[in-house]
Amino acid sequence: MIFRASLKFAKSLIFPKTEKKSSARRSLFGALICIGISIVPLIVVMAISNGMIEGMTERIIGLSSSHIQAYVSPAIIETETAELYTNYANSFVKYDGIVNTYAEMDINALAASSDYRTGAQVRAMDADIFEKNTYFRSLFYETEGNIEDYTEGAVNNEKVCAIGQKLAEILNLHTGDSIRLITTRKVGDRLVPKLTSFKVCVIISSGYQELDALWVFVPIYVAYDCLSRTNAGYTIMLQTKNAYSPDLVRIQAKLQMENSTEANFYRWDQVHQNEFQNFSSTKVMLIFVMILIVLVASINVSSAIVMLVMERRKEIAILKSIGATPSGITISFLITGMACGTGGVLLGLPVGLLLSVNSNQLIIIVEKIVNFFAKYYFLLKGTPIDDISTIRLMDPSYYLQNIPVTISFGQVFLVALLTVMLSLIVSIIPSAKAGKEKPLEILRKS
């Protein structure tokens, strides 16, 4: 039995000419639908998880540590004044591979307004950091006020600051208001608080509220003059041409070898190792669960092939009587199983990609529907309308405010290939049994 004949028999199994109702064919079509449906959440999870992880990673790298972060010893003379420290940071540009450097002094403080108090990380940096740092310029956006007002005040050594949107919401602050930063300074053997007021010039957001709830940016020269540096940490953000370049290891090693007495140097993947391990493990687990769903759906192909074999036993017997080989019959049913998997892929992939691209709009619609029914449910229970809180399916306190969607066509191709291969694998046993059918027994019983 040649392959062309096997292919022709497979075609008759999938698209029979008879108008007779076929339970096996309905089962085969149902398996195709199940595979298509199972692929949809897998594609959506992959696209959204890729986008979310890339979005969070970009913000953490660009806004927090840069490509390489230097932890400078506070005991060296270069940290005594703002001018010495910024000059020391700029000296690292001489190293091959280093594009830009940004001096930073970090101070843990208590941020206070007239309404509330909360912990904050004060980041003292150059006055024009929001203009010359490409990550700051592209990832931060103003929600209230203007960056230019902060830059102008910082250049003039005024006590101005830029704060995150979430921090502003916690403290109920707006542009023009004053924020009090409480730090500690050492007097003899005692630690006493030191209070400094800053004017809020701009409220900014990175789109990731976990970061927006922490940061207060102040000019580094003002911080040296006005804030206590008892518990200050000195770091330098070192930017290279490519954060993902293998050359990053060489640059780090050279920096560490030549400056080991003054600072320690760490790559971004070392500084934020725990965060990225959590991102990766969460993504792997989600995809693993989705693959299990596809596997379960693929098993339906096996049961459909079994029913198809039982329904077509007489045809198998006739074909074998006129010279069809067991391997030829087996190949026909394997082709049928693969065709079912391929049909599921062709059905599920476009739907999954369409939902992925429109995921933000769909979440908004679903949130509105959920809140509509939840509102009336709580009203029927007698809950005052002011006490009914809004349900957020994707709380921006833990995720990005907008879901970035990144579609990897390589991963989409692997999903399609895996689904077709699973359909082929689960079809092997029933297809092999079809090839072993004995025509004499079948014709005698019929």
Side-chain angles (χ1 to χ4, degrees):
M1 188 175 181
I2 62 174
F3 181 75
R4 186 183 299 175
S6 298
L7 193 62
K8 191 172 182 179
F9 182 46
K11 182 180 178 182
S12 69
L13 294 173
I14 302 169
F15 307 106
K17 294 181 180 179
T18 178
E19 297 297 328
K20 182 181 176 181
K21 292 183 179 179
S22 170
S23 299
R25 190 159 176 265
R26 286 198 299 268
S27 180
L28 199 64
F29 182 73
L32 184 151
I33 296 295
C34 288
I35 291 174
I37 292 173
S38 67
I39 288 175
V40 172
L42 176 57
I43 296 297
V44 172
V45 166
M46 285 175 51
I48 291 179
S49 61
N50 285 340
M52 293 286 283
I53 290 173
E54 287 183 14
M56 291 178 183
T57 301
E58 184 181 26
R59 282 159 176 78
I60 290 174
I61 294 174
L63 304 180
S64 182
S65 65
S66 198
H67 304 168
I68 297 175
Q69 189 165 30
Y71 290 83
V72 181
S73 169
I76 64 174
I77 193 171
E78 285 82 357
T79 62
E80 289 186 0
T81 67
E83 185 177 2
L84 286 173
Y85 186 43
T86 52
N87 289 336
Y88 174 68
N90 293 333
S91 67
F92 289 104
V93 179
K94 68 184 180 183
Y95 286 89
D96 180 40
I98 301 296
V99 177
N100 284 309
T101 62
Y102 309 100
E104 178 176 349
M105 181 173 67
D106 296 318
I107 303 173
N108 292 324
L110 186 66
S113 66
S114 57
D115 297 329
Y116 201 74
R117 294 181 180 181
T118 186
Q121 180 186 1
V122 179
R123 301 183 65 183
M125 306 187 77
D126 290 338
D128 57 349
I129 186 66
F130 292 99
E131 296 177 0
K132 71 177 184 178
N133 188 310
T134 54
Y135 286 105
F136 279 52
R137 192 167 61 242
S138 61
L139 296 177
F140 275 126
Y141 62 91
E142 304 112 321
T143 60
E144 190 176 332
N146 296 302
I147 290 289
E148 290 78 7
D149 294 337
Y150 169 80
T151 304
E152 184 180 346
V155 169
N156 295 327
N157 289 335
E158 297 176 7
K159 289 195 287 185
V160 294
C161 69
I163 65 175
Q165 180 184 13
K166 184 62 178 178
L167 183 63
E169 291 175 2
I170 293 171
L171 298 177
N172 192 24
L173 289 173
H174 299 278
T175 53
D177 294 342
S178 293
I179 182 173
R180 297 189 297 276
L181 298 179
I182 304 170
T183 54
T184 57
R185 57 191 178 93
K186 202 166 185 179
V187 178
D189 295 331
R190 295 183 305 155
L191 286 175
V192 297
K194 181 179 181 180
L195 188 147
T196 311
S197 293
F198 286 81
K199 177 185 176 183
V200 178
C201 283
V202 62
I203 297 173
I204 55 178
S205 176
S206 65
Y208 188 18
Q209 290 199 18
E210 188 171 325
L211 302 180
D212 294 345
L214 294 174
W215 291 339
V216 177
F217 293 93
V218 300
I220 191 167
Y221 282 85
V222 176
Y224 263 86
D225 292 338
C226 302
L227 296 178
S228 170
R229 293 186 285 125
T230 302
N231 298 314
Y234 300 87
T235 61
I236 301 172
M237 300 168 65
L238 305 170
Q239 185 178 340
T240 64
K241 294 178 181 178
N242 184 3
Y244 303 97
S245 171
D247 202 38
L248 211 61
V249 177
R250 179 194 64 80
I251 298 172
Q252 177 203 16
K254 185 174 180 61
L255 288 166
Q256 187 63 55
M257 182 179 65
E258 297 186 6
N259 303 275
S260 58
T261 59
E262 300 171 351
N264 291 317
F265 299 82
Y266 299 93
R267 301 186 310 274
W268 64 266
D269 56 330
Q270 295 174 317
V271 176
H272 305 290
Q273 183 177 6
N274 293 333
E275 291 95 326
F276 298 124
Q277 283 182 346
N278 289 337
F279 293 160
S280 300
S281 59
T282 301
K283 178 183 175 181
V284 169
M285 286 303 300
L286 284 172
I287 293 177
F288 177 71
V289 171
M290 295 299 107
I291 289 175
L292 287 180
I293 295 173
V294 175
L295 177 60
V296 171
S298 299
I299 292 173
N300 290 330
V301 177
S302 179
S303 61
I305 296 295
V306 170
M307 293 183 65
L308 196 60
V309 171
M310 293 175 62
E311 192 176 84
R312 297 299 185 95
R313 291 185 72 193
K314 192 171 182 179
E315 291 181 36
I316 295 170
I318 294 171
L319 287 171
K320 296 191 77 173
S321 299
I322 61 175
T325 61
S327 60
I329 298 295
T330 299
I331 290 173
S332 296
F333 283 95
L334 286 175
I335 293 172
T336 304
M338 285 185 64
C340 183
T342 304
V345 168
L346 294 176
L347 175 67
L349 282 184
V351 177
L353 293 173
L354 185 64
L355 292 178
S356 299
V357 171
N358 297 284
S359 56
N360 284 292
Q361 293 86 342
L362 288 172
I363 288 174
I364 292 172
I365 293 170
V366 173
E367 278 186 351
K368 288 181 178 179
I369 294 172
V370 170
N371 281 288
F372 175 80
F373 286 105
K375 178 181 177 181
Y376 281 96
Y377 171 75
F378 286 113
L379 287 175
L380 289 173
K381 287 182 64 177
T383 306
I385 192 168
D386 293 335
D387 295 339
I388 301 175
S389 57
T390 303
I391 299 172
R392 302 296 301 272
L393 298 181
M394 296 288 285
D395 192 337
S397 299
Y398 307 101
Y399 305 99
L400 298 178
Q401 290 180 350
N402 291 308
I403 301 173
V405 176
T406 303
I407 297 173
S408 170
F409 289 99
Q411 291 180 355
V412 171
F413 175 76
L414 286 176
V415 168
L417 183 63
L418 175 64
T419 304
V420 174
M421 292 304 297
L422 283 175
S423 301
L424 175 63
I425 291 169
V426 299
S427 302
I428 290 175
I429 294 176
S431 298
K433 288 183 177 180
K436 293 178 181 178
E437 290 284 359
K438 296 179 180 180
L440 290 178
E441 291 183 8
I442 297 171
L443 294 175
R444 190 181 301 118
K445 292 178 182 179
S446 59

